[in-house]
């Protein structure tokens, strides 16, 4: 087996119940009423339907990479959120200018979520049956390296960004260290790498291209809005940085 000799049948009733409860918690979250446990339920439900339900639907059971990426997605999300919250988030409220709440239109955000979900389901459909994925920990060392690079890029980007947001929620200088020396938006790049890693682990090249295309389409618009605001705020300093670090998401490519 490619990761584990153990397997389990997937109970659809559990997945359905988790989805219903996740939607209930999400409604409370939108109203600002969700507690920590309910916020955890939202993310758990989302990641379950991204990483566990699709391969279980097509194979009838689970083993290996779906379990791994379910845990990686959780750790990827919650560790980053914890760092951001503790350094300059809601746990320690600080002065905040709403102009920095840059978000693409709601319809674009919705299509992004749908595209990511469909790409994960495509990966489960396109990939071979789980027990036919060859290898082992050693033969899949490339995917493990990709997971580690993704986590390190995300955490280092967050920590360097936080250093320039010590007293306020908005940046006080142009961050040019750590992963920001290679790409201008390493947090977005690490998210793309995370999603692509799941598809690659399930040996689904079309799904990998699909999820990268969806992320580029969405993050390109978001990056454009953020960079316009950075130029407005930091002027020539950001223009000089952008000319020095030419790539937005993928080093030496784009």
């Amino acid at each position: 087996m490619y990761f584990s000799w153990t397997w389990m049948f997937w109970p659809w009733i559990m997945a359905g119940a988790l989805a219903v409860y996740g939607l209930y918690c999400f409604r409370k979250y939108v109203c600002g009423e969700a507690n920590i446990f309910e916020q955890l339920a939202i993310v758990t439900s989302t990641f379950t339907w991204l990483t566990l339900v699709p391969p279980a639907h097509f194979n009838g059971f689970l083993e290996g990479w779906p379990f791994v990426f379910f845990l990686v997605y959780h750790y990827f999300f919650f560790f980053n959120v914890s760092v951001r919250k503790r350094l300059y988030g809601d746990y320690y409220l600080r002065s905040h200018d709403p102009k920095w709440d840059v978000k693409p239109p709601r319809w674009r955000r919705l299509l992004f979520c749908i595209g990511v979900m469909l790409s994960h389901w495509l990966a489960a459909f396109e990939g071979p049956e789980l027990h036919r994925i060859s290898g082992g920990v050693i033969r899949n060392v490339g995917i493990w390296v990709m997971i580690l690079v993704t986590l390190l890029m995300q955490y280092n980007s967050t920590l360097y960004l936080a250093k320039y947001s010590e007293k306020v929620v908005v940046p006080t200088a142009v961050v040019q260290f750590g992963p920001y020396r290679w790409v201008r938006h390493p947090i977005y790049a690490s998210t793309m790498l995370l999603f692509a890693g799941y598809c690659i682990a399930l040996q689904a090249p079309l799904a990998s291209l699909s999820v990268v295309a969806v992320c580029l389409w969405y993050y390109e618009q978001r990056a454009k809005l953020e960079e316009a605001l950075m130029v407005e705020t930091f002027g020539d300093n950001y223009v000089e940085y952008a000319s020095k670090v030419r790539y937005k998401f993928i080093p030496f490519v784009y």
Side-chain angles (χ1 to χ4, degrees):
M1 295 301 175
Y2 56 100
F3 174 73
S4 170
W5 286 97
T6 63
W7 57 272
M8 62 174 287
F9 288 101
W10 181 250
W12 269 104
I13 189 172
M14 181 186 297
L18 186 59
V20 171
Y21 183 64
L23 290 173
Y24 165 76
C25 294
F26 181 72
R27 185 190 65 82
K28 294 188 66 175
Y29 174 77
V30 171
C31 299
E33 301 173 353
N35 57 36
I36 295 178
F37 177 80
E38 289 167 337
Q39 293 177 36
L40 175 63
I42 295 171
V43 178
T44 301
S45 176
T46 301
F47 292 164
T48 296
W49 280 80
L50 277 178
T51 62
L52 296 183
V53 176
H57 171 71
F58 293 110
N59 289 278
F61 62 91
L62 282 175
E63 62 179 344
W65 284 122
F67 286 123
V68 173
F69 273 91
F70 176 78
L71 297 175
V72 169
Y73 277 37
H74 253 281
Y75 188 69
F76 176 89
F77 182 85
F78 276 108
F79 189 86
N80 173 52
V81 168
S82 176
V83 169
R84 294 174 68 90
K85 289 284 188 180
R86 291 182 183 279
L87 288 175
Y88 56 93
D90 296 338
Y91 291 161
Y92 303 98
L93 292 178
R94 298 169 182 178
S95 56
H96 175 60
D97 188 342
K99 78 174 185 178
W100 289 94
D101 296 331
V102 177
K103 293 181 180 179
R106 182 174 297 179
W107 65 268
R108 185 178 285 266
R109 283 179 278 156
L110 178 61
L111 288 180
F112 169 72
C113 294
I114 293 174
V116 169
M117 177 68 76
L118 291 178
S119 296
H120 281 70
W121 278 78
L122 175 61
F125 173 78
E126 179 189 0
E129 295 181 12
L130 296 180
H131 64 278
R132 293 184 179 177
I133 299 180
S134 61
V137 175
I138 301 300
R139 290 189 62 180
N140 287 289
V141 66
I143 298 176
W144 287 107
V145 170
M146 182 181 296
I147 292 174
L148 292 176
V149 169
T150 299
L151 296 174
L152 290 174
M153 182 187 299
Q154 174 78 4
Y155 301 159
N156 281 334
S157 302
T158 301
L159 289 172
Y160 275 106
L161 186 64
K163 288 181 180 181
Y164 291 86
S165 304
E166 183 178 357
K167 297 181 180 179
V168 293
V169 185
V170 301
T172 56
V174 179
V175 184
Q176 304 184 43
F177 306 100
Y180 291 91
R181 293 175 297 176
W182 305 101
V183 292
R184 301 202 296 271
H185 302 278
I187 294 179
Y188 299 156
S190 64
T191 302
M192 284 191 284
L193 189 61
L194 180 72
F195 292 155
Y198 173 84
C199 299
I200 293 172
L202 266 63
Q203 299 184 12
L206 292 180
S208 302
L209 294 175
S210 172
V211 76
V212 169
V214 169
C215 288
L216 286 176
W217 170 78
Y218 176 74
Y219 287 131
E220 172 68 26
Q221 175 67 19
R222 184 155 187 163
K224 182 178 179 180
L225 296 173
E226 291 180 356
E227 291 189 350
L229 190 54
M230 293 292 286
V231 171
E232 176 186 333
T233 303
F234 298 110
D236 292 339
N237 287 336
Y238 190 80
V239 173
E240 180 181 354
Y241 166 72
S243 64
K244 182 171 60 176
V245 181
R246 296 185 298 164
Y247 304 103
K248 291 184 179 180
F249 307 114
I250 306 173
F252 312 110
V253 178
Y254 180 73

